[in-house]
Amino acid sequence: MDKTSRMQPGRRQFLLSSAALVVGYAWAGEAAAAPPAAAKVLDKARVEAFVALQPDGRATIYTGKVDLGNGSRTAMMQLAADELDLPLDRISLVMGDTDTTPDQWLTGASTTIAQGGLELRRACATARGVLLVRGAARLGVPPEQAGCRDGLVFVKTDPARRVGYGELAAAEPLLLAVDPKVALKKPADYQWIGKPVARVDIPGKLTGEWTYVHDFRLPGMLHARVLRPAATGATLLSFDDGAARQVNGFVRSVRKGNFLAVVASTEWSAIKAMRAMKVQWGAAEALPEPATVFEHWRQRPLAKQDLTQNVGDAPAVLAQSTRRLKARYDFAVQTHASMGPSCAVAELRDGHLTVWSASQATHSLVTEIAPIVGLPAERIRIVYLEGSGCYGRNGHEDASADAALLAVLTGQPVRVQWMRDDEMARSPKSPPRSMDLEAALDESGRIVAWNAEFWIALNHIVAFKPLDFPLLAASDTGLPRPGNWVGFLFQNSGVGYTLPNVRVNTRHVEKAFFRSAHLRSPGRIENTFANESFIDELAFAAQADPAEFRLRHLQDPRGIAVVRQAMARAGWSPRVGIQPAAAGQAEVARGRGISYLRYSNSSTYVAAVAEVAVNRKTGEIRVERVCVAHDCGLVVNPDGTVNQVEGGTIQTVSRTLMEAVQWNTREVLSRDWASYPILRHDQVPRVEVDLIDRPDQPTYAAGEPTPCAIPAAIGNAVFDATGARLREVPFTPERVKAALARA
């Protein structure tokens, strides 16, 4: 498929005639270069919200989901191509433009394909069915005697008799309600689904033609830097921009409440002016002592408690048991650590505000920005452009609100790019997590009771949108938003095995001490770390092989299948107890550990085996190999799915071994790669992935399930290697040495 074939005629004409886009138009989103959109149907109950057929037989597909760099653009095109019976190279895809795409909720929780893709498939299948009926009528045959293929309706007994989709759509536009019960294509009829179609975005990224939001420019655009205090919660007392005014290119300083920015004609001028500003900030809000943060977390006021799993009578069985185990697990505050700082561009024209943003939630961002800029939501448009890494809500939304506010206050197009310390210290954090688990074993080594308490952050949501999320521009300008949008942190607190007595309680902490948001696999990763580490402790106590012990308590055939597949890939040899060599004194000890989960207790099945080398002297862990078995039902694009598993594994090895936000009682100290180190290239393990494809099953999540398995798999491997149990993430060398001393 060549590049021009993916461009809409209207877009090409616009690019030829307009000087509005200065650089980087290739793939800048068809919407990026588009003029203000004419009124378009956005109701996702309507086919025309998703599909627009053109007279030449091409189709423009619209989706409210966005591609965060994970290849979902290609997968969505595959889904549309199959359900429309249209060649892939005749499809253009618009993602996340709030003026042209339906609101399909945010791009998160690995729902892009499972939820957004299903909605798209139904719309396309509805369109195909109507085109078939119309085409058959045009050809003078009953619908059952006609078929669809490659954008044509043809007579089955005489394929030369045919009519194109474009001709049919030109005669009568596709103005249809989506049939929620429409029959989707069967696996035997797939042309594109299930194939490793090469990602359509990669060529542009390799050649530098791809336009990230950082590359986007507008004529007359100014550059801005926002000044914010290092101390948490400090207010703006005064500022002196006298020195900044001497910087060549300085345009003005902008203040509204506690919001303070400098605006300049070039980016470097903005940086120099920012550094020349003299600002006096007020006192900081006190942060908890890092050394006792988990005790502090457990003592903060609760908003509510939920019994998320309750089977039998676990407390009673535990009270009567003589073979009980208890353990506590903690998971650190972490940050997104996107490779590039967040960026956005905004323009106010004729009373309408357009924001080019890398937000994962463009539709809900409209309603978040509206009160900040004082415009009705109907006059705000968010256009999605890829950013430099997104694992949830990092700084993209804040930078977008900053740019929007400055564009309104200055009346000129404004580009805001955060600095590295903005991204590290001021972007939202994942909240801490603390968990207590207790279980009882019977004489045969089976688990007869399980009791768990999870201290999690309260999730504030309004109609599944983060309307109450405290964007910095909102807080700075006096629009208090008290909420956290941290995701559904109770997920995977429930134990994923069939047990006779289970009680799982989640305690929802009313307010986190950091501004908190969802970070990849929120809740599931921390909860699974606790559950799968504790299962391992029980297996050791029961004198059972850890993998066999899991299988002993699993009844779901798909769960059993991924565990067995991971064991096979890893060459797992059943063994009771830890690695025999662990008792030795070799400086480097090696071990293997296994972990299993069903994502959100209802979606994708994953099992992982990690192999590690532990240096007893330094406490350093090296993850050498990770084997993952992954069952997400129907696999739309095998290559893309494997990429997701590999990327999730590598990122989570980093989170498990070294990532933790550092702070003192007044400010965040993690401000750069030195103070918030992540995994280096030479530390990346070998990752081997087995996909269990089930074409007859719904598609489940792919981006977030595997990370949930990694921390426990590594911790269990360290125990196997050394006999030292790690119960707090990250597994820093200091914690490893302390655990070795206790072992």
Side-chain angles (χ1 to χ4, degrees), residues 292-643:
T292 56
V293 63
F294 296 112
E295 297 304 326
H296 170 87
W297 186 244
R298 287 170 174 243
Q299 294 169 11
R300 290 180 77 87
L302 300 179
K304 64 175 182 177
Q305 298 188 53
D306 285 333
L307 207 56
T308 57
Q309 197 174 23
N310 192 20
V311 179
D313 191 346
V317 176
L318 280 164
Q320 297 171 5
S321 175
T322 58
R323 200 176 180 193
R324 296 195 300 267
L325 260 73
K326 288 184 178 180
R328 166 178 164 167
Y329 302 90
D330 297 313
F331 207 105
V333 176
Q334 297 182 328
T335 196
H336 296 259
S338 299
M339 295 302 292
S342 296
C343 180
V345 177
E347 178 185 40
L348 181 68
R349 180 189 291 183
D350 300 328
H352 288 77
L353 178 69
T354 302
V355 183
W356 288 265
S357 168
S359 169
Q360 64 165 184
T362 54
H363 283 273
S364 67
L365 187 59
V366 168
T367 50
E368 291 185 82
I369 285 179
I372 298 172
V373 299
L375 289 172
E378 295 74 24
R379 291 162 69 181
I380 299 174
R381 178 186 188 184
I382 309 291
V383 178
Y384 178 74
L385 289 177
E386 271 190 47
S388 50
C390 181
Y391 316 107
R393 176 165 283 233
N394 55 357
H396 292 326
E397 286 76 16
D398 285 305
S400 301
D402 291 346
L405 179 59
L406 286 166
V408 170
L409 293 177
T410 64
Q412 290 185 262
V414 176
R415 175 181 182 274
V416 172
Q417 180 169 321
W418 276 18
M419 304 296 285
R420 170 52 55 192
D421 64 332
D422 289 324
E423 195 66 43
M424 290 302 203
R426 299 183 179 88
S427 66
K429 307 287 177 275
S430 69
R433 181 64 56 94
S434 195
M435 300 145 284
D436 284 343
L437 279 76
E438 182 177 15
L441 298 168
D442 66 13
E443 293 181 353
S444 67
R446 295 187 68 89
I447 304 170
V448 292
W450 178 284
N451 188 33
E453 298 281 346
F454 293 75
W455 281 261
I456 67 177
L458 179 67
N459 194 33
H460 296 82
I461 59 172
V462 177
F464 284 82
K465 293 183 178 179
L467 304 181
D468 283 340
F469 186 81
L471 288 173
L472 291 175
S475 303
D476 292 345
T477 55
L479 292 171
R481 292 288 185 271
N484 292 314
W485 174 246
V486 289
F488 304 108
L489 302 186
F490 65 90
Q491 297 281 17
N492 282 109
S493 58
V495 63
Y497 300 90
T498 303
L499 306 179
N501 300 285
V502 181
R503 177 186 174 277
V504 176
N505 186 46
T506 49
R507 303 177 183 222
H508 300 248
V509 177
E510 185 174 17
K511 190 176 189 310
F513 48 88
F514 284 127
R515 196 170 61 114
S516 297
H518 45 292
L519 173 59
R520 192 173 193 169
S521 313
R524 292 85 163 173
I525 190 170
E526 299 94 340
N527 300 339
T528 304
F529 163 61
N531 286 341
E532 283 298 300
S533 295
F534 194 52
I535 281 284
D536 227 62
E537 299 206 41
L538 291 168
F540 184 74
Q543 298 184 320
D545 173 76
E548 186 279 328
F549 188 75
R550 285 168 170 80
L551 292 171
R552 185 186 302 177
H553 295 89
L554 266 175
Q555 292 186 354
D556 189 326
R558 293 174 69 173
I560 293 170
V562 292
V563 171
R564 293 199 183 283
Q565 185 60 47
M567 293 170 64
R569 169 64 65 176
W572 185 277
S573 298
R575 186 181 67 236
V576 173
I578 61 176
Q579 176 68 246
Q585 293 303 312
E587 184 169 315
V588 176
R590 285 184 164 80
R592 75 328 163 50
I594 191 168
S595 177
Y596 159 80
L597 76 144
R598 188 176 184 193
Y599 182 69
S600 297
N601 293 121
S602 62
S603 177
T604 298
Y605 299 83
V606 175
V609 174
E611 297 176 358
V612 304
V614 183
N615 188 307
R616 297 177 189 271
K617 185 176 180 180
T618 65
E620 293 178 350
I621 299 170
R622 185 176 187 86
V623 180
E624 298 181 319
R625 181 188 183 210
V626 181
C627 300
V628 180
H630 191 274
D631 173 2
C632 62
L634 166 65
V635 177
V636 176
N637 187 316
D639 276 358
T641 306
V642 168
N643 292 162

Side-chain angles (χ1 to χ4, degrees), residues 18 64 93 127 139 189 193 203 248 289-290 294 308 337 388 420-421 431 450 461 496 504 545 610 637 644 650 656 662:
S18 172
L93 188 68
L139 296 168
D189 298 325
I193 296 174
N248 186 31
E289 288 284 352
F294 296 112
T308 57
S388 50
R420 170 52 55 192
D421 64 332
W450 178 284
I461 59 172
V504 176
D545 173 76
N637 187 316
Q644 283 288 282
I650 293 167
T656 303
Q662 306 298 317

